[in-house]
Amino acid sequence: MDKLEIIGTPPGAPGTGLVGRLPIRGAKNAALPIQCAALLASTATRLRHVPKLTDVSTMNRLLRGLGCEVEVEQGSDGRTVEIDPSAVAEGALEASYELVKTMRASVTVMGPLLARYGRARVSLPGGCAIGARPIDQHLKGLQALGAEVTIEHGYVDLAAPRLHGGRFQFDRVTVGGTQNVMMAAALARGQTTLENVAREPEVEELALFLNKMGARISGAGTATIEIEGVDELSGIDHAILPDRIEAGTFAVAAAITRGDVLLEHAPVDHMHAVIDKLLEAGVECTVEPGGLRVVGPERLRPIDVITQPHPGFPTDMQAQIMVLAAMADGASVIRETIFENRFMHVPELNRLGADIVVDGNSAVVRGPTDFSGTTVMATDLRASASLVLAGLVGKGTTEIRRVYHIDRGYEAIEERLCPLGARMSRYHGGGA
């Protein structure tokens, strides 16, 4: 397996800060459900600004397995992916365990397959490194639209000759569940009302995409979504919005290195919770015509963070902001309310020299930390990003193993940070 080696430069040393311009790629969490939504169309869909990520490639494999023709072209500003679902009806309409275990977002094909083809067979995702993340809300929502659900031998079988509109209130906020049921309702007969839905920008983006295809969806971005079902959707040309989590990660990188980075195309309107915490820590954040400029201060101030559903502070930024807190002059408290097991990066950050104590769903972070390079193991996508950040400001060399995690959400991270002054190298075949 690949490994990353980072030669860190502690803040204050010559050439410390990351400096330059960094274009933000398309959002993974927007691209994946939109790839699934292409199944709803009667004609081909063309997606632009698609990030080159392993999760996106896994979804393309799944779509091909269902019978789609998927063509990928690489461009200077991301990939273009064309998805033609015209041959899907001849396929098995099944998402296998081999793919779902690799990427939980695979279950998001349930709604489109059921709505368009009347049936679907999808593997249960099983456990996840950052928590249980069950799909019961997906299934309850689809049942409210008339789906018959059978769970047997580790698979979910769904059937419905034609879904009908209905009213469903999610027991808890779920992004994937909201997206799955919303896609199914787009082709259901009649009116659907979904309550207590996720308000994330990626939900809004999916609704925008579906409406461009011919759907009638209103309320995305609020707690209630209304959908008037239509008989048919058509493929379109669509550009994926920039990734707010990638932009937030690189904003932290600029802040902790005392750098000066312009994050080109950063989706500022979707980043207020993150930007507010950066400002609170003393980081200079300025909106410019080209994007968001982030300038790191001489000293970072401690902050308290509580992860919450959007528009609150995103759980996908918790590990990264913890590194910033570790560099701050004082004690910070970070509370995780979304996932029950999302502090697995803490032992690895402590190996690098951090002083972080976890008590239940809270972590007390005491700084400032003099990170010192050593060998660490990535446990999940955002945890791996936190290790890269710590390595950038550490003394000596940090070796990160299992970097396949970071390739799920950050496109060629070493190739993009090195032009800004980072010293990072990828080695193939290293680490367990």
Side-chain angles (χ1 to χ4, degrees):
M1 297 182 184
D2 290 5
K3 66 178 181 181
L4 282 176
E5 284 191 359
I6 306 171
I7 301 174
T9 310
T16 299
L18 300 179
V19 177
R21 305 168 70 96
L22 184 61
I24 300 303
R25 300 299 195 205
K28 173 185 85 98
N29 291 337
L32 296 176
I34 285 175
Q35 287 173 275
C36 295
L39 290 164
L40 291 166
S42 57
T43 54
T45 287
R46 186 171 184 264
L47 304 177
R48 294 175 286 110
H49 301 170
V50 180
K52 184 180 179 182
L53 304 171
T54 54
D55 275 9
V56 172
S57 297
T58 298
M59 186 62 78
N60 285 338
R61 285 172 52 206
L62 173 56
L63 294 174
R64 290 189 181 104
L66 293 171
C68 291
E69 291 185 14
V70 182
E71 300 291 336
V72 181
E73 296 181 6
Q74 183 65 47
S76 59
D77 58 350
R79 287 180 165 186
T80 297
V81 178
E82 186 161 317
I83 303 169
D84 185 350
S86 57
V88 168
E90 303 168 8
L93 302 182
E94 177 178 315
S96 70
Y97 174 68
E98 292 304 314
L99 288 174
V100 177
K101 74 175 183 180
T102 303
M103 183 184 66
R104 292 183 56 89
S106 302
V107 302
T108 316
V109 299
M110 286 193 299
L113 289 177
L114 182 64
R116 179 89 196 283
Y117 304 102
R119 60 188 176 90
R121 179 175 168 82
V122 178
S123 169
L124 288 169
C128 176
I130 60 173
R133 305 174 78 182
I135 63 168
D136 62 307
Q137 297 301 298
H138 301 237
L139 301 181
K140 288 180 180 179
L142 294 173
Q143 285 177 312
L145 302 183
E148 294 182 3
V149 176
T150 305
I151 301 177
E152 198 172 44
H153 306 302
Y155 277 80
V156 178
D157 286 289
L158 304 103
R162 175 73 189 271
L163 294 172
H164 58 74
R167 178 178 293 271
F168 179 71
Q169 179 171 316
F170 290 93
D171 297 330
R172 60 182 178 276
V173 175
T174 161
V175 175
T178 298
Q179 293 169 330
N180 227 340
V181 181
M182 182 170 66
M183 285 189 281
L187 287 180
R189 183 183 291 111
Q191 181 81 22
T192 296
T193 300
L194 302 179
E195 299 174 321
N196 194 32
V197 299
R199 299 165 58 186
E200 270 69 6
E202 294 78 18
V203 172
E204 290 188 75
E205 177 77 354
L206 177 59
L208 171 66
F209 176 80
L210 293 170
N211 284 341
K212 287 172 64 176
M213 296 173 78
R216 299 173 183 170
I217 301 172
S218 61
T222 72
T224 301
I225 293 177
E226 301 279 354
I227 305 143
E228 181 67 40
V230 298
D231 291 331
E232 185 178 21
L233 298 173
S234 301
I236 58 169
D237 184 291
H238 183 78
I240 303 297
L241 87 168
D243 195 321
R244 63 192 173 103
I245 303 301
E246 179 182 274
T249 300
F250 293 143
V252 171
I256 63 175
T257 63
R258 300 180 186 171
D260 183 346
V261 177
L262 178 65
L263 302 171
E264 296 180 334
H265 317 303
V268 175
D269 287 344
H270 300 149
M271 296 176 62
H272 292 308
V274 172
I275 292 173
D276 286 348
K277 286 301 172 183
L278 292 174
L279 292 172
E280 189 179 323
V283 181
E284 182 182 330
C285 299
T286 308
V287 178
E288 299 185 2
L292 177 68
R293 182 172 298 280
V294 181
V295 179
E298 288 294 314
R299 285 180 174 275
L300 288 162
R301 296 191 292 264
I303 53 175
D304 292 339
V305 174
I306 301 174
T307 64
Q308 295 175 320
H310 190 79
F313 191 91
T315 181
D316 279 354
M317 278 297 301
Q318 180 253 105
Q320 301 92 305
I321 207 72
M322 187 175 286
V323 178
L324 183 143
M327 299 294 293
D329 191 6
S332 302
V333 178
I334 297 176
R335 187 154 68 94
E336 173 62 51
T337 70
I338 308 298
F339 295 119
E340 72 272 17
N341 194 26
R342 206 165 198 179
F343 283 142
M344 291 193 299
H345 48 281
V346 169
E348 300 302 289
L349 290 177
N350 283 343
R351 277 178 51 77
L352 291 167
D355 180 1
I356 306 170
V357 177
V358 174
D359 182 10
N361 68 341
S362 296
V364 178
V365 187
R366 293 181 174 87
T369 299
D370 291 324
F371 283 110
S372 179
T374 188
T375 300
V376 289
M377 196 80 70
T379 54
D380 62 65
L381 168 55
R382 306 307 173 184
S384 64
S386 74
L387 300 180
V388 169
L389 294 171
L392 290 174
V393 291
K395 299 174 183 175
T397 301
T398 297
E399 179 183 298
I400 303 175
R401 300 185 179 184
R402 295 185 180 173
V403 296
Y404 58 83
H405 286 294
I406 205 164
D407 294 334
R408 291 183 51 227
Y410 298 89
E411 180 179 330
I413 191 167
E414 70 279 8
E415 296 177 13
R416 298 170 67 202
L417 288 181
C418 283
L420 304 182
R423 292 182 290 175
M424 302 173 59
S425 301
R426 181 182 293 256
Y427 295 91
H428 299 288

